[in-house]
Amino acid sequence: MSFLVWNCRGLAQPRAVRFLKEIIQQLRPNLVFLSETLVKKEKIEKICKDIGFADYCAVDAQGHGGGLALFWKTEGGVTVRDVCHNYIDFEVVNEQIGRWRYTGYYGFPERGRRRESWNMLEDLAGKSSLPWCIIGDFNYIVSRDEKQGGRVQPRWLMEGFSDASDRCELSDLGFIGDKFTWEKSRGSSSWVQERLDRGMATQAWKDLFPQAEVRVVDVTTSDHLSLYLYLNRRIFMPKVRRFRFENMWIKENECFNIVKDCWNGREGADIMSKLLLCCAKLEEWGGGMVQEIRAKLNMCRVKMRKLRSRRDGQGLNEYNDVRWEYLGLLEKQEVFWKQRAKQFRLKEGDANSRFFHKFASVRKKK
């Protein structure tokens, strides 16, 4: 079982939803918790269907801020226990392992409400004696090493959060990946980076899942990086691709040139011969484009990971160029999956989802 957690900073933009689908397809989490969705429940319900999850729990945004969403699949026995504007608390039941507890958390961003957050954390700790893991955007740092740039964090704020965690018997799960999970004003003189997102758990939960790890997903469309908590490592087998004409080729100028050359290059040939030649040339040119897009997506992630910490002008420009390339590749990948869902089953504006993936897979097996 695995858990994806992300402060998405708004799901109204197609770019954020597209990234969410891409990261779900890549990591295949069983649970997804989103904070700062900035939308109403109706939007969350549609997203739940689009990403292929069985059920959801949502908290509406307040004005121009807030909003929480939890998605889960049928397996796992998820039961939501408590909900408010700062967290969704739920239990998970597994026949082999038993019962344990998760909390998707979003701490108050206002400094004047820090004590409210600490009290809320202690209230959550007293609600159940089950093995407990809490993960999300806490909006705190526990040491000055977790911040770069900006004003120095007051010591009483860091110590206050540490003391509250100790009283709740919570300890940090650590992480693999980028040191900072949030940033502001990238490239300017006021560029700030902090580790605001983290996972914490009781010793009973750690004993239940001794191999659990938190990985920082290094690419995002938000100012927050996402966290991926996985209890056991998973291995995915590559799928075999079958060639067909790809609608995403139309976005490439080279496709038009190939068709034009094949059609005009053989005078006197019949239509069928020209079509066969055109098919062969397109297959030779674009047969590996799907794998190429996947490779480029991975390459973009690697480049963005390396460029995130650079603060010079050239590094900032390179980061922005790679980020826009990444978003363009996501759009092409969505066109690829739309085609496999068959056009008559696809309304204008519908997006890449688990339903369309499954439908395409069934057709492929036939």
Side-chain angles (χ1 to χ4, degrees), residues 183-193 307-317 319-320:
E183 66 178 6
K184 182 178 71 172
S185 304
R186 168 175 281 269
S188 68
S189 58
S190 56
W191 186 5
V192 181
Q193 294 175 293
L307 292 169
R308 276 189 64 83
S309 58
R310 289 185 56 177
R311 307 178 77 89
D312 58 288
Q314 181 181 355
L316 292 169
N317 292 333
Y319 179 88
N320 290 330

Side-chain angles (χ1 to χ4, degrees), residues 326-337:
Y326 178 78
L327 295 174
L329 290 169
L330 287 182
E331 184 178 357
K332 289 183 180 180
Q333 189 178 63
E334 187 170 26
V335 172
F336 170 80
W337 282 110

